[in-house]
Amino acid sequence: LVYPAGFLYVFAGLRVLSQNGLTIRIAQYHFMYIYLFVQCTVLMIYKQTRRMPPLAMVLICLSKRLHSIFVLRLFNDCLAIAFVYVAICYFCFRRWRIGCLFYSLAVSIKMNILLYSPGLLLLLLEDNSLFETVICLSICASVQLVLAYPFLS
C-alpha cells in the first residue's frame, strides 16, 4: 500500500458518496464545495497578513487552473491543501496545537505536504518553548499513528 491512510479514508468516503463511482457529478459537487472553502480560507489568510492588495484577492478567484484541479479532475491535492490552509489559518492566530492537528491531517492525505515541515518547525521553535514544540510535534505524530493503525497490522 503506497498511499497515506487519510487518502484511503477520504476516497473510500467519496466512493460511497458517488455510488461506487457511478455518479461522478456528486463527487464534483463535493469538490466544488471544498474549492469554495479553500478560496475563503486563502482569502482569510491574506486578510490576516494585511499585505495583500485587494486586486490580488480578486485574481485568485479567477484562476481557471484551480477550478480545473478541484472540480474537473478530483485530485487528492485538493483535500490536502484544504487541510493545510486551515492549519496555516490557525497558525496565523497562534493556535499551534489545533493547527498541527490539521497539518497532520493534510499530511495523511498527501505526503508532499511534508515539504512545509521545516518552516513549521522553525515557526514552532521561534514562537513556543521547546516543551510546547514537542507537544505540537507529538500531536502531528499521534494523528498519523491513529489514522494508520488499521493498516499497520
Side-chain angles (χ1 to χ4, degrees):
L1 190 60
V2 296
Y3 292 104
F7 171 87
L8 297 172
Y9 291 124
V10 166
F11 280 89
L14 192 59
R15 185 174 180 183
V16 169
L17 287 173
S18 67
Q19 300 166 348
N20 288 328
L22 296 175
T23 53
I24 298 300
R25 186 166 302 271
I26 291 173
Q28 288 177 317
Y29 283 135
H30 284 85
F31 271 77
M32 178 189 68
Y33 297 133
I34 295 165
Y35 169 68
L36 294 172
F37 175 77
V38 167
Q39 291 286 64
C40 290
T41 307
V42 169
L43 293 174
M44 187 184 316
I45 292 167
Y46 283 162
K47 183 177 180 245
Q48 183 64 22
T49 64
R50 296 183 185 96
R51 293 190 178 154
M52 187 63 62
L55 178 61
M57 292 185 186
V58 171
L59 293 175
I60 290 168
C61 296
L62 298 176
S63 171
K64 288 186 179 184
R65 183 171 189 275
L66 280 180
H67 174 77
S68 172
I69 289 171
F70 274 85
V71 181
L72 300 177
R73 295 195 174 89
L74 311 178
F75 287 147
N76 61 335
D77 299 57
C78 306
L79 285 162
I81 291 299
F83 280 115
V84 85
Y85 281 148
V86 169
I88 290 170
C89 202
Y90 277 113
F91 296 151
C92 286
F93 292 103
R94 291 183 161 60
R95 303 281 313 272
W96 298 106
R97 290 181 184 190
I98 189 80
C100 284
L101 173 79
F102 280 101
Y103 173 77
S104 190
L105 288 171
V107 169
S108 78
I109 295 170
K110 183 122 176 130
M111 297 295 285
N112 70 351
I113 301 299
L114 282 171
L115 295 171
Y116 290 81
S117 295
L120 175 57
L121 179 61
L122 180 67
L123 290 173
L124 286 170
L125 289 169
E126 197 173 81
D127 202 59
N128 297 294
S129 67
L130 183 60
F131 181 74
E132 181 63 25
T133 299
V134 169
I135 289 173
C136 289
L137 295 175
S138 298
I139 290 169
C140 292
S142 298
V143 169
Q144 296 305 309
L145 289 172
V146 167
L147 292 175
Y149 182 75
F151 304 105
L152 294 175
S153 55

